[in-house]
């Protein structure tokens, strides 16, 4: 008999990819989402095989209703997108803290023995070591900076999951690192660069003058959604109780390099126009991946290989952009 999971936030970008992969692997899946940021269109290929529950992870009764008959919960519901960390930190924390508390309380009430928690690379903030392994100290550098509402909420979620781990047979925590792909939302580096470049391609001159935050020397590592799913499924099938896993790649690229690659998707050269860096931004971020690699995961896509597909999707689907929060 196949295991049955509840996936909170299952119509979101990462959530829907996880749901599709789990269905393909033979799991039964129930999705809980209020679609405030997610969209059921992302689940169209498996919608007939899953149970959809419309509800808010902040409401205990909604989580309880959605969890009927499940063996485990994959908790992905959260408010992401850097611009929201600054503009709606109270909402970020409300969803983050109430969500994990409700999920744990429901699991204990129903006797659900497996919890898979989505954390984030943001818990590292400015990491002490790059590439960054899972066991470095986590931090909130400045409680007065609303940016850290996101990372702070994730740290709280991890602490809740670990310290309530004695009530579970298996608790897994994963930290995604800059997952990108088609239909990933509009508040992230890749879609913002794609849309900005699309607007500037008709400008006069040999090079596109391309404004960015910071100097462009800041680095990140990006993982394509198909690789992320492979990493997630490797963890789900082989991960050990109370373990934390980075999911990303070790291809560290500067933001200037990313902008140049996006320009190439439009056959244009780019001249960067540096701007003020967002307060609380991180100079470097790249995960150490030995732990997940040891379970058999190997990413297949480089940013330069997957980026043209993603940029094309955003160029062709500008009409889908709406204010959703």
């Amino acid at each position: 008999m196949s295991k049955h999971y509840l996936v909170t936030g299952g119509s979101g970008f990462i959530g829907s990819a996880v749901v599709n992969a789990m269905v393909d692997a033979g799991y039964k899946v129930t999705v809980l989402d209020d679609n405030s940021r997610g969209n059921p269109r992302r689940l169209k290929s498996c919608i007939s095989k899953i149970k959809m529950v419309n509800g808010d992870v902040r409401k205990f009764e909604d989580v309880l209703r959605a969890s009927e008959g499940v063996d485990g919960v994959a908790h992905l519901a959260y408010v992401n997108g850097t611009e929201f960390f600054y503009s709606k930190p109270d909402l970020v924390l409300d969803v983050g803290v109430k969500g994990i508390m409700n999920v744990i309380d429901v699991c204990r009430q129903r006797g659900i023995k497996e919890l898979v928690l989505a954390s984030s690379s943001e818990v590292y903030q400015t990491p002490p070591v790059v590439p960054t392994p899972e066991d470095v100290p986590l931090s909130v550098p400045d409680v007065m900076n609303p940016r850290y509402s996101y990372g702070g909420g994730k740290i709280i979620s991890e602490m809740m999951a670990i310290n309530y781990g004695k009530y579970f047979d298996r608790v897994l925590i994963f930290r995604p690192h800059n997952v990108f792909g088609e239909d990933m939302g509009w508040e992230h580096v890749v879609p913002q660069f794609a849309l900005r470049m699309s607007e500037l391609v008709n400008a006069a001159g040999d090079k596109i003058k391309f404004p960015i935050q910071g100097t462009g020397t800041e680095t990140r590592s990006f993982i394509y959604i198909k690789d992320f799913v492979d990493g997630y499924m490797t963890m789900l099938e082989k991960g050990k109780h109370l373990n934390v896993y980075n999911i990303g790649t070790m291809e560290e690229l500067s933001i200037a390099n990313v902008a140049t690659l996006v320009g190439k998707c439009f056959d244009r050269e780019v001249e960067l126009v540096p701007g003020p860096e967002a307060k609380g931004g991180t100079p470097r971020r790249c995960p150490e991946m030995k732990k997940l690699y040891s379970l058999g995961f190997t990413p297949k896509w480089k940013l330069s290989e997957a980026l043209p597909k993603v940029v094309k999707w955003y160029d062709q689907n500008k009409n889908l952009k709406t204010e959703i929060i």
Side-chain angles (χ1 to χ4, degrees):
M1 186 174 180
S2 62
K3 190 178 285 190
H4 186 173
Y5 283 94
L6 168 64
V7 180
T8 70
S11 69
F13 168 58
I14 291 178
S16 60
V18 163
V19 169
N20 278 287
M22 293 175 74
V23 169
D24 288 344
Y27 293 106
K28 293 182 180 179
V29 178
T30 296
V31 169
L32 172 66
D33 209 312
D34 63 2
N35 297 313
S36 59
R37 302 199 64 235
N39 196 303
R41 70 167 177 266
R42 296 182 173 122
L43 296 168
K44 62 183 179 182
S45 64
C46 69
I47 196 70
S48 63
K49 301 175 183 177
I50 64 176
K51 179 181 178 182
M52 288 287 297
V53 177
N54 187 279
D56 188 336
V57 74
R58 293 173 292 179
K59 297 179 180 177
F60 177 85
E61 295 77 10
D62 287 357
V63 181
L64 185 67
R65 176 166 50 93
S67 65
E68 184 175 358
V70 308
D71 306 299
V73 178
H75 179 44
L76 282 77
Y78 213 85
V79 177
N80 68 351
T82 306
E83 66 182 59
F84 294 130
F85 307 169
Y86 294 99
S87 65
K88 300 180 185 292
D90 52 338
L91 176 65
V92 172
L93 285 165
D94 196 40
V95 173
V97 178
K98 288 180 180 175
I100 186 62
M101 291 180 69
N102 284 335
V103 164
I104 289 174
D105 287 347
V106 163
C107 285
R108 292 186 64 191
Q109 180 168 321
R110 288 207 183 274
I112 297 167
K113 293 297 185 179
E114 183 166 349
L115 173 62
V116 182
L117 173 66
S119 185
S120 170
S121 61
E122 288 282 329
V123 298
Y124 298 127
Q125 299 307 333
T126 301
V129 180
V130 180
T132 308
E134 292 88 345
D135 59 357
V136 302
L138 310 182
S139 67
V140 176
D142 179 6
V143 295
M144 302 303 291
N145 186 339
R147 179 195 176 92
Y148 301 126
S149 57
Y150 184 87
K154 289 295 190 184
I155 292 173
I156 291 169
S157 297
E158 288 198 21
M159 292 184 69
M160 292 284 293
I162 289 166
N163 287 286
Y164 280 82
K166 61 187 176 182
Y167 300 108
F168 293 86
D169 293 334
R170 192 168 72 145
V171 172
L172 303 174
I173 298 171
F174 65 95
R175 297 174 181 157
H177 282 65
N178 290 88
V179 186
F180 76 102
E182 299 86 340
D183 200 8
M184 68 178 290
W186 309 91
E187 309 84 20
H188 311 276
V189 172
V190 170
Q192 287 180 344
F193 276 19
L195 292 176
R196 194 178 307 160
M197 201 74 72
S198 178
E199 293 170 358
L200 294 172
V201 289
N202 295 321
D206 296 330
K207 292 185 177 181
I208 294 176
K209 291 186 180 296
F210 192 74
I212 60 169
Q213 285 187 333
T215 63
T217 58
E218 302 82 5
T219 69
R220 297 292 184 268
S221 66
F222 295 83
I223 182 168
Y224 186 42
I225 187 64
K226 291 182 179 180
D227 276 340
F228 168 82
V229 164
D230 287 345
Y232 173 88
M233 294 304 295
T234 299
M235 176 202 66
L236 187 67
E237 291 163 7
K238 300 179 182 179
K240 303 299 183 183
H241 182 44
L242 295 180
N243 269 249
V244 180
Y245 299 91
N246 287 332
I247 304 183
T249 74
M250 296 185 68
E251 182 190 24
E252 186 180 6
L253 297 170
S254 71
I255 296 302
N257 197 341
V258 176
T260 298
L261 289 172
V262 173
K264 286 183 178 179
C265 295
F266 293 92
D267 295 320
R268 296 294 298 274
E269 292 186 20
V270 171
E271 179 182 337
L272 296 181
V273 181
E277 184 178 351
K279 187 178 179 182
T282 302
R284 291 182 67 193
R285 188 172 288 152
C286 178
E288 173 57 68
M289 289 300 302
K290 289 179 183 177
K291 192 170 183 180
L292 193 59
Y293 287 176
S294 71
L295 298 184
F297 169 62
T298 303
K300 301 178 178 65
W301 293 81
K302 291 188 174 185
L303 177 71
S304 59
E305 295 168 339
L307 194 61
K309 292 154 47 76
V310 178
V311 169
K312 181 179 180 181
W313 188 93
Y314 276 95
D315 191 38
Q316 294 179 343
N317 290 276
K318 301 171 193 172
N319 60 304
L320 295 179
K321 184 176 182 181
T322 54
E323 180 62 44
I324 52 179
I325 288 186

